[in-house]
Amino acid sequence: MVDRGRGRVFGEVAEIYDAARPGYPRELVAEVLAYAALGDRAVLEIGAGTGKATAAFAEAVAELVCIEPDPRMAQVLRRNTAHRPGVRVHVGSFEDWRPEPDGREVGLAFAATSWHWTDPQRRWDLLHDVLAPGGAVALFWNPQGIRDADLHAALSAVDARHGVSGAPHGVLASSFGEVPGHWAGLPGAWPQEECNRDGRFRDLRSVRYRQDLSYDTHRYVGFLASLSAYRVLPADRHEAALAETAEVLEAHGGGIPMTLFTDLFLARVG
C-alpha cells in the first residue's frame, strides 16, 4: 500500500526542495523524446513537483500537462515555468486526473522520482487509458550513493540514533549494480516487473546515467531536509538529525562526495 500522505510532505519545504534537489541529465531528455517520437502529440508529467525535470522537457515540446498533488509545490512549479506558455499545471493526483475532451492525444507520459507514489493497483490501467496508441512511458529516478566508506559509517551512526532510514548516504556508491534499477534506495520501485505482468506494453528498455558530484555541508543538509525520510520525523528528532549530520560533515572537510545514478525505464503501449 502506498503511503500517499508521506508523498505529500514535500510541500512543507517546496523552496528547499527546488533549490537542493538535483536535476536530470539532458541526455535523458533527448533519449526519451527520441524514443517517444511525439509528432504533434502532447506530453503528460506525473508528479511534477517544482519542475526539476519539467523545464528541460518544456524546452523541447509544444504542450506539457503537469500533474502535481501538492498546491505548494505546484505554486513553485508555475513560477519556474511561467515563461513556457505550453506548460499547464493541474493540481491533483494522477489517479483523479482526466484528459480534456478536446485536448491533443498524449504521446508520452513521464514521472521523475514520483512513480512510486502512485497507486500500484491502478497506475498501469491509467497509463494505458491516457496514452495514444503507440504512446510511450518514461519513468526515472535519481538514487545516490556515498563514495567515502568512513564518512558513510559516521553518518550511518547518526541515522541509527535518530531512526532515519533511506538517506542517500546510507548506501555506498560501490554497492550499486551495473543494471539500471539495482539500488537500495527505493525497494520494489523499479517498474519492469510490474510492466511485464501487465502485458499491454512493449519495447521495454532500461538506461543508466552516472555522475560523480560533491555537496558542501549547507546544500547537502538542505537536500536531506527535502526528503520524506526526514520530513516524517518528529520536529525535535528532525532538527537533531540534520544538525548532527552537519557536524559530521564539517569534521570530515565540510562536504560529501556522492555518485548520482539516474536510471530510466521506457515502454510503449502495444
Side-chain angles (χ1 to χ4, degrees):
M1 193 67 183
V2 176
D3 184 352
R4 296 172 72 181
R6 179 165 176 164
R8 298 182 186 182
V9 298
F10 305 118
E12 300 167 359
V13 286
E15 296 290 351
I16 295 174
Y17 181 108
D18 188 54
R21 289 274 183 127
Y24 298 90
R26 290 194 174 273
E27 298 93 328
L28 178 147
V29 177
E31 179 95 25
V32 170
L33 293 177
Y35 176 89
L38 281 174
D40 63 351
R41 297 178 298 180
V43 178
L44 176 71
E45 182 176 7
I46 301 162
T50 63
K52 301 303 292 187
T54 313
F57 279 92
E59 289 180 7
V61 303
E63 183 178 344
L64 174 55
V65 178
C66 300
I67 303 172
E68 170 50 46
D70 192 298
R72 297 160 295 184
M73 301 286 275
Q75 182 178 1
V76 179
L77 174 63
R78 286 194 175 102
R79 184 190 70 205
N80 287 343
T81 58
H83 61 298
R84 296 288 177 187
V87 174
R88 290 185 290 124
V89 178
H90 171 83
V91 180
S93 69
F94 175 48
E95 291 79 4
D96 295 334
W97 181 79
R98 295 294 180 272
E100 297 176 9
D102 58 348
R104 288 196 294 171
E105 287 188 323
V106 175
L108 167 67
F110 73 90
T113 315
S114 61
W115 184 246
H116 53 287
W117 298 121
T118 60
D119 183 350
Q121 304 303 315
R122 301 178 57 202
R123 54 195 177 198
W124 295 100
D125 287 336
L126 292 169
L127 265 184
H128 187 269
D129 292 346
V130 163
L131 288 168
V137 54
L139 310 174
F140 44 97
W141 286 263
N142 259 353
Q144 300 188 53
I146 184 172
R147 299 199 303 274
D148 184 320
D150 292 338
L151 187 52
H152 163 71
L155 292 173
S156 295
V158 174
D159 293 348
R161 281 198 296 276
H162 296 287
V164 175
S165 61
H169 54 256
V171 182
L172 284 167
S174 59
S175 71
F176 281 68
E178 295 300 318
V179 178
H182 284 202
W183 25 263
L186 291 168
W190 192 243
Q192 184 158 349
E193 185 177 340
E194 274 190 4
C195 188
N196 276 324
R197 283 201 306 268
D198 181 273
R200 292 173 292 181
F201 295 80
R202 60 181 175 83
D203 193 15
L204 278 57
R205 304 183 192 179
S206 298
V207 184
R208 167 166 286 178
Y209 306 88
R210 175 178 175 145
Q211 176 187 0
D212 287 342
L213 48 79
S214 295
Y215 295 89
D216 62 28
T217 299
H218 177 75
R219 186 180 176 204
Y220 189 68
V221 171
F223 172 44
L224 295 183
S226 77
L227 299 177
S228 62
Y230 289 83
R231 300 308 309 162
V232 299
L233 293 175
D236 56 340
R237 286 169 58 199
H238 168 87
E239 295 301 327
L242 292 177
E244 290 181 32
T245 296
E247 289 174 6
V248 170
L249 294 181
E250 287 300 295
H252 283 75
I256 183 169
M258 302 291 287
T259 298
L260 183 69
F261 298 87
T262 304
D263 285 359
L264 166 65
F265 176 79
L266 294 165
R268 71 176 79 252
V269 174

